[in-house]
Amino acid sequence: MSVSDEQIIQDTLRYLSHKRVNGHWLFEEQWVQLQLADLIGALQAGRGLYMDAGFAGESWGLGLFMKGLAGPLSSMVGKARVFDGVATHPLISGQARELFRKLVPKEQLQRVVAHASIAKFMCSDMAVGTAMKATETLGDDANDPQWGVEKCMRDAKLAQICEGTNQINRLHVARGVSCDEPENTVTGKGLHSCRASRLV
């Protein structure tokens, strides 16, 4: 979760701006600069994964669904403030969900779910790794609530569990890999031909 990563980086930088070791700033240490580069790299990678998941949703999910509706209807609905309240009504959203499932092929829907799952489990794992690196950088001061790194660590660990555990999300990604039936249909034995169903 990139918000957590961003908060970890901000808290670490705030700490480094106050900490002097042996007469010089801790930020001047090469190992600290390398840790910061890793933190920033993880943040950018997480943002890229979420952007990719959003693009997949627009290309194969709701964006594709909305293109299938009448042009004037979708532009009118997009501009109406009343639509926000109507769209969130359980009856309307349930009917829209059923219509979406009928109009959007299962393979496309699985692609959207797989991209979102990849973003979720990779980013939450990166957030935990980022929090651990920040904890290493801060040393004993990492447990001090003043710097907020321990709270970010708790939030990052929670992100691995909330919105579906990371293991469940990994299973969603595995469903994106399709396997054909065995070649020998008489005995049921044979090699499965597996391929990625255009996840990339």
Side-chain angles (χ1 to χ4, degrees), residues 9-193:
I9 293 170
Q10 289 174 357
D11 291 343
T12 304
L13 288 173
R14 188 167 48 91
Y15 172 80
L16 292 173
S17 68
H18 291 90
K19 186 69 173 178
R20 290 180 71 87
V21 176
N22 296 329
H24 64 277
W25 295 105
L26 186 57
F27 181 79
E28 295 172 357
E29 293 283 333
Q30 186 179 25
W31 70 271
V32 173
Q33 293 172 356
L34 294 174
Q35 293 278 57
L36 279 175
D38 287 344
L39 299 181
I40 293 168
L43 175 65
Q44 292 299 342
R47 285 180 177 165
L49 284 170
Y50 271 107
M51 294 287 286
D52 187 48
F55 179 70
E58 282 295 314
S59 298
W60 303 313
L62 189 59
L64 181 68
F65 175 66
M66 291 301 285
K67 287 178 189 174
L69 296 177
L73 176 66
S74 61
S75 64
M76 179 184 71
V77 166
K79 294 177 183 174
R81 282 185 164 224
V82 177
F83 179 69
D84 291 337
V86 172
T88 58
H89 189 276
L91 181 63
I92 302 293
S93 62
Q95 290 175 349
R97 189 177 305 116
E98 290 303 316
L99 182 62
F100 178 78
R101 287 185 179 143
K102 287 179 187 175
L103 295 178
V104 177
K106 187 175 181 177
E107 181 181 300
Q108 287 179 333
L109 185 59
Q110 184 56 44
R111 252 190 263 164
V112 173
V113 170
H115 277 277
S117 294
I118 290 169
K120 193 272 178 188
F121 78 76
M122 288 298 296
C123 290
S124 59
D125 286 348
M126 280 192 285
V128 170
T130 301
M132 293 177 93
K133 282 185 187 255
T135 302
E136 290 172 13
T137 304
L138 271 65
D140 291 339
D141 291 334
N143 294 325
D144 188 350
Q146 171 187 1
W147 305 114
V149 173
E150 91 292 345
K151 182 184 182 307
C152 289
M153 176 62 108
R154 285 193 311 263
D155 292 346
K157 289 300 282 180
L158 254 168
Q160 288 183 318
I161 300 168
C162 293
E163 299 173 16
T165 66
N166 282 0
Q167 307 324 33
I168 298 296
N169 282 290
R170 285 178 171 92
L171 291 175
H172 284 300
V173 173
R175 285 186 200 138
V177 176
S178 64
C179 293
D180 298 331
E181 292 298 315
E183 293 175 13
N184 187 346
T185 56
V186 176
T187 63
K189 296 179 182 176
L191 298 176
H192 286 277
S193 171

